Every structure is written in structure tokens, then in C-alpha cells.
Amino acid sequence: MAQTYRGAGVSPGAGYGPVKRLTREVPQPAPDARHAGDAEAEARRAVAAMEQTAQDLTARGERAGGEAAEVLSAQALMARDPALADDVRRRVGEGADAARAVSEAMAVYRDMLASAGEYLAARVADLDDVRDRIVARLMGAPIPGIPDSDSPFVLVAEDLAPADTAVLDPAQVVAFVTREGGPTSHTAILARSLGLPAVVACAGADAIAEGTLLLVDGATGEVVADPDPAAVEAATTAAAARARAAAQSSGPGRTADGHPVPLLANIGGPQDLPAALENGAEGVGLYRTEFLFLDRADAPGHDEQVAAYRAVLEAFPGGKVVVRTLDAGADKPLAFLPAPAAEPNPALGERGLRMMRRFPETMDAQLAALAEAERGTDAELQVMAPMVTDAEDADWFAAAAAKAGVEQAGVMIEVPAAALRARHIAASAAFFSIGTNDLTQYTCAADRETGGLGRFQDPWQPGVLDLVSVAASAAAEAGRPCGVCGEAAADPLLACVLTGLGVTSLSMGASALPLVRAALARVELAQCRAAAAAALAARGPEEARAAAAAALPGLAELGL
Amino acid sequence: MAQRRVTVESKVGLHARPAAMFVEAASKAEGQVTVAKGEGTPVSAKSILAVMGLDVRNGDEIVIDVEGEGPEADALLDRLAEIANAD
């Protein structure tokens, strides 16, 4: 009998298949766990579990290939390490049960690796994973991590870490359902970049048993257990219609009556360029530069930065590339840019431009590298600062950019104060780019990563739409472009509303571009404006969605 | 007992891939194989955890000891030295 669960749909599409659950927790052996007396048999049991784990890791490596195979085969060597096995035998001989012996023996090596410097610190996570696998096996618990499967499945989890989703095989996973996570969490963004349907903040997810047949609608957030075949048919048909429309869309973004809305890609480094080009991006609307700075002891040098920026500029001759300067702090701390003190609330602390104002030499070096990268390329470089709060911030950034030789310096509108006073900020900003993820977080005072606050993490909240409207109007009056580079731009219905609010370009994860292009091509600018007015008049996000959809009848054939 | 001193030329030292190859090669030997960093305490070259724990970097000197004599021991020393110097 069908049972329906509800969460937040964060990555559109329909997925149907049996449930497999991700397990992360590993039972801990009790600190005084002892075996029953037969030390020899217990030691054999421990060594057998180590060997089985090694074989499992080797098999996974062979399936994965490439770099993953190397990591996994090194992990297999750890699992069958003879020195480790000797230590485990000794501990079992002293009375410890197999799980505790393995756990304690590996802790010794873990401490040694953790204290030995940067090369080895990264191996500690590999070692922990090996330990968890052996201990789980010895205690009869499920092996942690993404489950193995030879056939497609729906992955259900409490939450997914970016590291979990990075090793997912999109050919085996048909959808995600998580109990935690918000629509703008990093996991949701990743799901969209993989093109997998996903529902997060699904309160009932824990109750769904392994093997249950699940229909997941990543657009509406509906999750149905044991659905009737007609519902599966209807959901997959609608998803296929959308996929078909997306596949048929091409050319620059424009409405049916020819109003241009350039469609740009959000990228996290040159590795995202192929997907952006494949999906027809007209440029880059958000180049996140953090990847150059994370996980290292000191800042990247000038030449390294120039190369990373130029690689992207060269991919879009004649196109626009908007680079965001380093957005450090909050959830992305950097070793060489320490926060002044522990921040009880880092999202409201020294992050983005605030951090750069404390370390101006880092900002100057980045701006200088950007100015040099543009020389000799045909792309139009625009550089913007994150977390600009007032006109004083905007002035400071504009002066720093001008000094470095960057011609077009703009600001991100993510802080409600900046949206409200956009008319003053426009004086020194060449353009605006509205970051709707953080703008929503700050407008509704709801942490992006907190699972229970899905209703407030919704860019359809009319309060958020009001601020977008204020910023876009101020930009138009000052003759400045105003883009949106948050995940809101990836929602085809909302993309039309944003266009109606006066937003001049839309930037999103590359996989969302075709469907947004198809949606724009089915509506006229006047309809977008009517939809925007209707959404602004609504009392809440659901009403705003419904009112906008009613004003945009051309989207009905896309099931929107 | 056959011994060899090698200055490690592998860019990443005896970490990552070279460490795994080193241990795999040593594990094929019947007898004991040890490796030490400089004048430090020798550890089993068949243990990836012990070898990684030495934290051997590019330019460090290592001392490899192989149980036994003759062409087999020399061949193994050649192979281990080659891995420590490959990139």
C-alpha cells in the first residue's frame, strides 16, 4: 500500500527503484570488550575480517579504475598489513576481543600518521575508513559508506557529505532522499550538478526500510513508497517531457518575444568547463575561486592564479566571465587566513570581503592575477566581491580593483542591507550579482545547512523576492546589469519570475541550463512581469509558486 | 644479509603510490625485508603502515636490508631502489 513522505525537492527529475541506505555510524567496541577464552580462534577471526576487507577494497578499486583504484589498493594493503596483524594477535592474546584489538592497534598507527605532517594527514581518513570497515565486519554491522550494488537504486541517508556524493556512480543511483539538508545545502547543489533527482529535509526518511520501492519526484519533493504503477508512469512521463524539451533547447537565452537573458554557468574551477560548454553556457556567471586556496598551508602564487583564471577566460572568447574573489571564512576556513577569534556564529562573522579587508595583501594579489589573466584574451572579465554589506564596502572594493587594473568591479548582493540600499551601492559597483542562497539564509535568518528549516530556505519566500526586486530596480535606474547566480536561477519557473523582476542574466549549475533555456523560450517578457507581480503579491512561497505558474501557461507542457 | 643505501629521488618520497609499490614488491620476498630512514630503527618493508610512518621524503637516505644473499636478494634490492627513485 502506497505511503507518501514529503521533503524539499531540490533537483528535478523522477527516480524509481529499490532503497539502499547509506550507513555512516560504526558500532564502537566497548573499551573493555574481551573474548570468550579461545585466543587463537579470535585472532583467526580478526585476521580473516582484515583479509576480507582487503579483498573487498581491491574489488572496489578494480571497478572504479583510475585514481580511486590507487587509493583503494593502498587501503587494501593497510587492511592486510602484517605488522598490524601481529599487533592485533598480541592484543587478542592479552584478552581483547577481535573488534577492540583491531580498533586499538589501528589507533596507534593513526596517531603516528596524524603527527607526521601534511602528506600523511590525508591518509588518516583512508585509515579510518579501513578501520571502520573491519570493525563493522567483526561486529556484524553494515559496512559504512555508499552501498555496493549491481543494479540501480534510490540512496536514502540521514545526510550526504560532499565526499560521499563525489564517488557516487550516477549510473547506479537513480535518486537521493535525505532526512537532513536544505534546498541550498552543498549536497543539494552537488545533486543538481550530477543531474540526479533529490529530495532533502524528508522527515520520514528514517522509516523507509532497505529494499522498499520508492518513487522520488525531485521537483515537488514527494516521495512515495510502494507506489501504484500508474503513478510511476505519470511521474516518469512528465520527467521525460522535461528532459526532451531541455535536449531540444539551444542558442542564447531569450524569451519567446526575443528579450535576451544571457544564461551563464556557475563553476568551481577549470574542471567544470566541459559541462558548461556542453550545456551551451554563454559565459560564466560565478567562478568560485576557493578551490585554489583550500587545503593548503599558504596562498597560491601569482603564476598559479593567472593560469587558473586564464584557462576559464580562454574558454569563452567574446563571452562574459564573472569571477568572485576569495570567499573565505564561515564554512570555508583557510589555514593562512585565521579568524580573529572563535566565532559563535560564523555565517555572521568575518567572511568574504570582511575577511579580505583584514588581509588586503591576499585580495590585492588575487586582483593583480585577474588583471593579468585578462590581458591577451577576448573574454570580458568582471570581478565581484562576496558579502558586501554597505556602500563603504563597495567603495573599498572598487578602489582596490581599480588599483590592480581590473576594469569591471561589481558586488554580490547577499546581505539584506545591501539589497535595501542597492541604490547607494550602485554608485561604485559596475554590476550586481544576487547570490540568492545566502540572501535567503540571511533574509529568513535560517541556516543553509539546518535540515528542519526547509520552509525558510526557500527563495520563493516573498520577503526574498521583495529584496531581489529592490536590487534589480536600483540597478536598472543606475544603468547597471543585475544577474542572479544563486540556485534560484536553476528553477525554471523562478527563472521566469526573476526575469520579470528585472534580472538581466541567470547563472546556474551547468546541468540546469537547458531546461531554463526551454522555459524562457516558452514565455513572453510581459508574462514574466505579470508572474513576478503575482509572486510578490503572494503571502507565502507555495502561493507565490502557484500564482507564478498560473501567469505562465506556456510552462504547463513542461509539467511546471 | 644484503644491504643497500638509497637516496630517495621520488618526488613524493615514500608516500602514496611509491609506498604502495614498495610494499607490494617487498611482500613478494620469502624472507624478512626491512627499511630504515638514515640511521633510524628498521621497520618491516612489508608493512605499509610502518613504511608510511617513516615519513620518508624526497632527498632522504634509506637503508634497505634483505634476508639472504645472491642474485635473488640483489634483484629485489634493485627493484626496491628503482621504486624509491621513480616518479
Side-chain angles (χ1 to χ4, degrees):
Chain A
M1 142 109 197
Q3 182 172 4
T4 301
Y5 303 89
R6 196 162 273 288
V10 292
S11 183
Y16 175 65
V19 167
K20 281 190 176 278
R21 300 192 65 96
L22 170 119
T23 323
R24 208 191 314 280
E25 276 153 42
V26 177
Q28 294 297 327
D32 53 358
R34 298 180 69 82
H35 60 76
D38 187 346
E40 214 169 293
E42 186 72 356
R44 270 201 305 278
R45 197 167 77 84
V47 173
M50 292 167 68
E51 179 55 30
Q52 284 159 4
T53 301
Q55 286 174 9
D56 173 49
L57 288 163
T58 305
R60 280 167 174 263
E62 280 163 8
R63 277 199 304 275
E67 235 172 89
E70 272 182 32
V71 173
L72 288 160
S73 72
Q75 284 188 299
L77 284 176
M78 295 179 190
R80 57 162 71 100
D81 190 300
L84 176 69
D86 287 346
D87 196 1
V88 168
R89 281 192 204 94
R90 182 179 61 76
R91 288 169 194 274
V92 171
E94 289 167 3
D97 84 346
R100 175 161 73 99
V102 168
S103 196
E104 289 178 355
M106 292 189 86
V108 174
Y109 287 105
R110 185 186 200 286
D111 289 348
M112 184 172 74
L113 297 188
S115 64
E118 55 184 301
Y119 271 129
L120 292 176
R123 300 279 79 77
V124 169
D126 298 347
L127 185 66
D128 285 343
D129 181 47
V130 173
R131 174 207 164 275
D132 291 350
R133 287 170 179 279
I134 301 172
V135 170
R137 202 177 274 276
L138 283 168
M139 298 185 75
I143 308 284
I146 300 281
D148 246 355
S149 178
D150 297 329
S151 55
F153 62 94
V154 175
L155 182 64
V156 177
E158 183 179 318
D159 203 357
L160 293 171
D164 296 323
T165 44
V167 298
L168 272 180
D169 177 2
Q172 290 298 8
V173 179
V174 295
F176 295 145
V177 177
T178 66
R179 191 190 71 200
E180 304 292 329
T184 53
S185 67
H186 294 296
T187 295
I189 293 168
L190 219 46
R192 281 188 290 266
S193 78
L194 289 171
L196 289 174
V199 172
V200 302
C202 181
D206 283 348
I208 305 171
E210 182 103 6
T212 308
L213 284 169
L214 217 56
L215 173 63
V216 180
D217 186 331
T220 61
E222 202 171 80
V223 176
V224 187
D226 301 318
D228 76 80
V232 176
E233 169 85 25
T236 45
T237 305
R242 267 174 252 167
R244 208 162 37 243
Q248 286 163 357
S249 78
S250 66
R254 56 181 64 239
T255 59
D257 53 333
H259 172 70
V261 185
L263 298 178
L264 313 170
N266 293 349
I267 66 169
Q271 77 280 3
D272 294 337
L273 285 172
L277 292 165
E278 253 167 56
N279 287 292
E282 296 166 58
V284 170
L286 171 62
Y287 182 178
R288 303 182 180 95
T289 54
E290 288 74 57
F291 79 98
L292 278 166
F293 296 81
L294 290 172
D295 299 325
R296 56 194 295 165
D298 44 22
H302 180 76
D303 294 344
E304 186 183 349
Q305 291 200 46
V306 171
Y309 305 144
R310 188 165 283 161
V312 174
L313 288 160
E314 283 175 346
F316 292 99
K320 184 163 86 165
V321 173
V322 185
V323 179
R324 181 178 73 189
T325 57
L326 178 59
D327 187 9
D331 57 337
K332 294 169 277 195
L334 294 186
F336 52 93
L337 302 178
E343 294 182 325
N345 198 343
L348 303 184
E350 295 207 43
R351 52 169 295 204
L353 186 71
R354 300 165 177 189
M355 180 70 100
M356 290 300 100
R357 292 190 70 162
R358 278 169 33 81
F359 298 97
E361 60 290 352
T362 303
M363 162 117 298
D364 290 344
Q366 187 176 27
L367 290 168
L370 282 162
E372 177 166 342
E374 187 185 21
R375 272 175 229 130
T377 73
D378 297 334
E380 180 190 354
L381 172 69
Q382 297 191 328
V383 181
M384 63 186 180
M387 282 300 280
V388 168
T389 306
D390 62 6
E392 213 274 318
D393 266 355
D395 294 346
W396 186 88
F397 181 69
K403 198 176 89 193
V406 170
E407 287 170 18
Q408 298 194 57
V411 303
M412 288 198 70
I413 302 286
E414 310 170 271
V415 179
L420 290 167
R421 303 309 293 243
R423 65 184 190 279
H424 290 138
I425 290 176
S428 54
F431 64 93
F432 290 163
S433 180
I434 304 177
T436 44
N437 304 350
D438 272 331
L439 183 62
T440 304
Q441 152 167 289
Y442 294 130
T443 302
C444 299
D447 193 311
R448 283 168 68 166
E449 302 284 340
T450 301
L453 300 176
R455 185 159 70 85
F456 301 127
Q457 291 153 330
D458 187 341
W460 281 97
Q461 279 284 350
V464 177
L465 298 177
D466 272 341
L467 291 177
V468 171
S469 174
V470 169
S473 303
E477 264 166 49
R480 307 276 197 254
C482 175
V484 164
C485 67
E487 293 298 317
D491 171 345
L493 182 58
L494 188 46
C496 296
V497 169
L498 294 170
T499 300
L501 289 171
V503 166
T504 58
S505 67
L506 298 167
S507 189
M508 65 205 78
S511 64
L513 287 163
L515 188 56
V516 170
R517 187 186 295 117
L520 284 171
R522 284 168 170 74
V523 299
E524 293 184 357
L525 180 58
Q527 292 175 317
C528 291
R529 288 189 175 136
L536 287 178
R539 287 183 71 243
E542 285 311 323
E543 293 97 315
R545 264 191 198 93
L552 296 164
L555 299 185
E557 62 175 293
L558 300 180
L560 296 169
Chain B
M1 189 78 100
Q3 187 179 77
R4 187 145 333 155
R5 283 177 179 268
V6 184
T7 301
V8 175
E9 287 168 30
S10 150
K11 272 196 197 119
V12 295
L14 270 193
H15 292 116
R17 189 174 156 78
M21 290 171 69
F22 192 89
V23 171
E24 274 168 353
S27 300
K28 293 204 177 93
E30 296 270 326
Q32 207 179 44
V33 186
T34 65
V35 55
K37 183 159 86 169
E39 304 309 315
T41 313
V43 302
S44 168
K46 298 180 181 182
S47 163
I48 182 99
L49 293 167
V51 170
M52 288 198 313
L54 288 178
D55 194 19
V56 175
R57 314 243 174 138
N58 173 284
D60 285 346
E61 188 188 58
I62 56 171
V63 183
I64 311 169
D65 275 297
V66 173
E67 202 173 38
E69 305 276 349
E72 261 183 51
D74 285 338
L76 178 59
L77 283 171
D78 287 346
R79 175 81 189 118
L80 293 174
E82 186 192 339
I83 292 166
N85 289 332
D87 264 315

